[in-house]
């Protein structure tokens, strides 16, 4: 089995800080989600993951953006980039970087679920022939991609994987497992078009997207759940997993 | 009840030419012994690019070697990927007929469409089309084998009139199967008169439900080939040892490693959401969490797995038999977790103590 080779201490630069694991689940209604799956260079397979996680073959990343109209923090849009991976037997995405346009949402998502999100403009525009995502930070564009020629899918055809967010926690530096639940009402799949990606801006210097595979646009409720597990980043999940919160 | 052996040809890291060679030679030795011991079929999968999990990218060559080194055991494509970007249907028909000829009419012909993005994406195939491709293949292949001259205007390929050669030795043609991973594929098999080649380790209740529905539906089938194959096989793991604890521990180590390799595959649905791939296609779900043993009890085996002493394995197979399963195919190793001498001894003990009960 290939395992990640990145130094967790280096990966932790800019990681979120969580004071406790006792977060209540949060249901967000009417969320518009764009997710784009893209293969990356084979040589990148292990370099961007901590030793706890295994790369997929071929290695891949996903960009995911949410436009949320109602939340305890008001409306917000966020986008994040994850490396697709396995934690033990499970499919996961390792969060490398993200942006959000609402400081209160940034704080809430960081403290509650370990999302490290920098301030940025996240512009997700869904249309009938194209959905476009543009992300800008510090005056520079860090992502520009689109879903083109959408075709309707059934809600049950969609697939989302849980996130592993590296954060400073009461247990130390840990991968926080966020098993977001999607209740999809409408879904479309289209051809992904990647126009620009600043890997360094997403804390992935050197990462090369090579082959965009599919873009998915979904509308429906998203629930950020109470936390159940965290995992040490330096050892495999079989030995490094820890129950937290309401896990039994 | 018939017994087969089933090869993924998984190779442990680090990959070396010698390491791959050893895996292939070990598998051939297992096949020769299985032939001597009275096993019915050697199956070999077709997979591409699946590092560690399966290096069986040219199963027709492996099976040709098996056929040359054995005398009775049948050789099974388990299965040919019926997607034109991966295998052109004319070449599939030619290779299969050739293997049937050189094996002396011992070919079992399985069909599949691939479940991983690693493979489908690697060949640039269209995930939305693979089910339709497979359906077209299973209808035209028997015609290529049985018609002196064949011409075709179809969806995934067309050809002017030609003689597709050679013809199979078995008449009218080798038995046809389809691999069943996703729930519901057994109905596709039944409707077309194809054998149900289980490659996912379902539990007793689920297998009984699928088998009952398969047998009900195949009575009404519109056969894709010239002959109906109404057999049901399941996939299992085999490690047989006089000491139940040793058998369970070693067998679980093998099965657990295979489950881990399987979980690390990149399934199509994960990369490319599609109606055509409704399940992730897991080939071997890991042992249930509830099976974690206490040190005093020894390993608690997953339902129906043939890991342990001969008596345990006989009971498991009797249960499979009672719910309508005709054949059980065994994985014998995973990435060489078990030493070759242990695999061979397990096969011998199975033949000596278990086979006579059936």
């Amino acid at each position: 089995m290939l395992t990640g080779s990145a130094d967790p201490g280096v990966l932790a630069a800019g990681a979120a800080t969580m004071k406790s694991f006792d977060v209540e689940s949060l249901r967000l209604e009417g969320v518009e989600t764009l997710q784009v799956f893209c293969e990356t260079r084979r040589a990148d397979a292990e370099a961007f993951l901590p030793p706890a996680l295994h790369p997929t073959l071929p290695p891949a990343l996903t960009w995911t953006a949410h436009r949320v109209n109602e939340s305890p923090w008001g409306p917000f849009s966020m986008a994040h980039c994850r490396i697709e991976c396995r934690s033990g037997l499970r499919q996961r995405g390792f969060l490398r970087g993200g942006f959000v346009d609402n400081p209160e949402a940034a704080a809430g998502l960081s403290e509650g679920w370990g999302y490290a999100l920098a301030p940025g403009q996240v512009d997700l525009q869904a249309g009938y022939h194209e959905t476009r995502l543009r992300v800008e930070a510090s005056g520079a564009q860090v992502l520009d991609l689109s879903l083109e020629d959408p075709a309707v899918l059934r809600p049950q055809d969609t697939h989302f994987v849980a996130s592993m967010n590296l954060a400073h926690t009461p247990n130390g530096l840990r991968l926080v497992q966020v098993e977001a639940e999607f209740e999809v009402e409408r879904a479309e799949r289209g051809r992904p078009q990647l126009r620009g990606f600043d890997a360094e801006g997403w804390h992935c210097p050197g990462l090369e997207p090579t082959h965009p595979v599919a873009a998915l646009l979904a509308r429906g409720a998203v629930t950020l759940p109470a936390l159940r597990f965290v995992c040490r980043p330096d050892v495999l999940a079989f030995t490094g997993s820890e129950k937290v919160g309401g896990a039994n | 009840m018939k017994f087969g052996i089933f090869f993924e040809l998984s190779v442990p890291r680090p990959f070396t030419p010698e390491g791959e060679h050893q895996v292939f030679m070990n598998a051939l030795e297992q096949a020769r012994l299985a032939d001597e011991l009275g096993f019915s079929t050697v199956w070999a999968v077709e997979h591409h690019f699946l590092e560690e999990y399966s290096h069986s990218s040219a199963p027709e060559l492996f099976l040709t070697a098996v056929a040359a080194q054995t005398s009775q055991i049948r050789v099974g494509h388990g299965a040919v990927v019926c997607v034109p970007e991966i295998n052109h249907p004319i070449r599939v028909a030619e290779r299969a007929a050739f293997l049937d000829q050189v094996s002396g009419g011992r070919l079992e012909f399985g069909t599949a469409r691939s479940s991983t993005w690693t493979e489908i994406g690697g060949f640039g195939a269209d995930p939305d089309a693979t089910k339709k491709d497979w359906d077209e293949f299973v209808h035209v292949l028997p015609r290529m084998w049985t018609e002196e001259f064949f011409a075709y205007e179809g969806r995934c390929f067309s050809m002017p009139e030609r003689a597709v050669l050679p013809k199979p030795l078995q008449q009218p043609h080798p038995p046809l199967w389809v691999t069943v991973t996703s729930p519901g594929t057994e109905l596709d098999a039944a409707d077309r008169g194809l054998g149900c080649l289980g490659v996912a380790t379902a539990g007793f209740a689920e297998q009984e439900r699928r088998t009952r529905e398969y047998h009900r539906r195949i009575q009404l089938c519109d056969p894709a080939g010239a002959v109906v194959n109404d057999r049901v096989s399941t996939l299992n793991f085999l490690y047989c040892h006089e000491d139940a604890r040793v058998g369970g521990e070693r067998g679980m180590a093998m099965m657990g490693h295979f489950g881990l390799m399987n979980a690390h595959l990149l399934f199509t649905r994960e990369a490319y959401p599609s109606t055509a791939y409704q399940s992730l296609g897991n080939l071997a779900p890991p042992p249930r969490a509830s099976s974690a043993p206490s040190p005093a009890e020894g390993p608690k085996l997953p339902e129906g797995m043939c890991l342990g002493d001969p008596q345990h394995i006989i009971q498991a197979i009797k249960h499979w038999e009672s719910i309508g399963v005709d054949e059980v195919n065994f994985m014998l190793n995973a990435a060489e977790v078990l030493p070759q001498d242990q695999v061979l001894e397990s096969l011998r003990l199975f033949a000596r103590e278990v086979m006579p009960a059936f």
Side-chain angles (χ1 to χ4, degrees), chain A residues 4-222:
Chain A
S5 60
D7 180 346
V10 174
L11 294 174
T17 297
M18 300 171 65
K19 292 177 182 166
S20 87
F21 298 117
D22 295 326
V23 64
E24 291 187 6
S25 71
L26 174 63
R27 181 180 170 89
L28 303 167
E29 303 282 355
V31 178
E32 206 152 57
T33 299
L34 176 69
Q35 182 164 287
V36 175
F37 189 100
C38 182
E39 292 187 19
T40 65
R41 209 161 52 97
R42 179 66 175 82
D44 294 339
E46 299 126 275
F48 292 92
L49 294 171
L53 302 175
H54 308 273
T56 58
L57 295 175
L61 63 80
T62 54
W63 295 283
T64 305
H66 300 296
R67 190 167 70 192
V68 181
N69 293 325
E70 292 180 42
S71 84
W73 315 295
F76 70 92
S77 292
M78 63 180 279
H80 58 68
C81 175
R82 302 186 309 178
I83 310 294
E84 294 297 297
C85 60
R86 298 290 183 264
S87 174
L89 295 164
R90 309 298 174 199
Q91 300 173 357
R92 298 288 181 259
F94 174 56
L95 182 73
R96 286 309 300 130
F99 298 91
V100 64
D101 60 5
N102 175 330
E104 290 183 26
L109 292 164
S110 170
E111 292 165 11
W113 292 274
Y115 282 97
L117 303 173
Q121 292 299 313
V122 179
D123 183 23
L124 177 62
Q125 297 288 339
Y128 285 101
H129 69 288
E130 178 190 73
T131 293
R132 189 147 186 186
L133 171 65
R134 280 175 279 212
V135 181
E136 287 185 14
S138 304
Q141 183 171 276
V142 292
L143 181 67
D144 183 1
L145 55 76
S146 59
L147 175 160
E148 298 179 354
D149 300 327
V152 174
L153 285 182
R154 302 174 308 173
Q156 62 265 39
D157 296 329
T158 60
H159 183 74
F160 301 93
V161 302
S163 199
M164 300 295 269
N165 300 345
L166 190 62
H168 300 285
T169 77
N171 290 12
L173 187 63
R174 291 292 184 271
L175 293 160
V176 179
Q177 181 174 307
V178 181
E179 301 160 275
E181 297 164 13
F182 291 78
E183 291 178 35
V184 177
E185 296 163 5
R186 292 179 55 198
E188 297 166 358
R189 188 195 66 221
R191 190 177 65 252
Q193 184 76 35
L194 178 63
R195 296 186 174 87
F197 172 60
D198 173 13
E200 197 148 344
W202 298 81
H203 303 293
C204 309
L207 182 68
E208 283 184 36
T210 55
H211 178 46
V213 174
L216 172 71
L217 180 65
R219 297 178 179 85
V222 178

Side-chain angles (χ1 to χ4, degrees), chain A residues 1-2 37 39 42 54 57-58 84 86 88-89 91 153-154 156-159 161 189 211 213-214 216 238, chain B residues 13 51-52 117-118 121 128 257 259-261 263-267 269-275 278 280 286:
Chain A
M1 289 293 141
L2 294 178
F37 189 100
E39 292 187 19
R42 179 66 175 82
H54 308 273
L57 295 175
E84 294 297 297
R86 298 290 183 264
L89 295 164
Q91 300 173 357
L153 285 182
R154 302 174 308 173
Q156 62 265 39
D157 296 329
T158 60
H159 183 74
V161 302
R189 188 195 66 221
H211 178 46
V213 174
L216 172 71
F238 294 113
Chain B
R13 289 181 191 276
E51 299 172 40
E52 284 188 276
W117 175 253
T118 312
D128 293 321
H257 192 78
L260 185 63
M261 290 192 297
H264 284 222
L265 301 179
L266 183 57
F267 290 102
R269 186 181 175 84
E270 192 178 350
Y272 188 91
S274 168
T275 301
Q278 294 178 35
L280 285 170

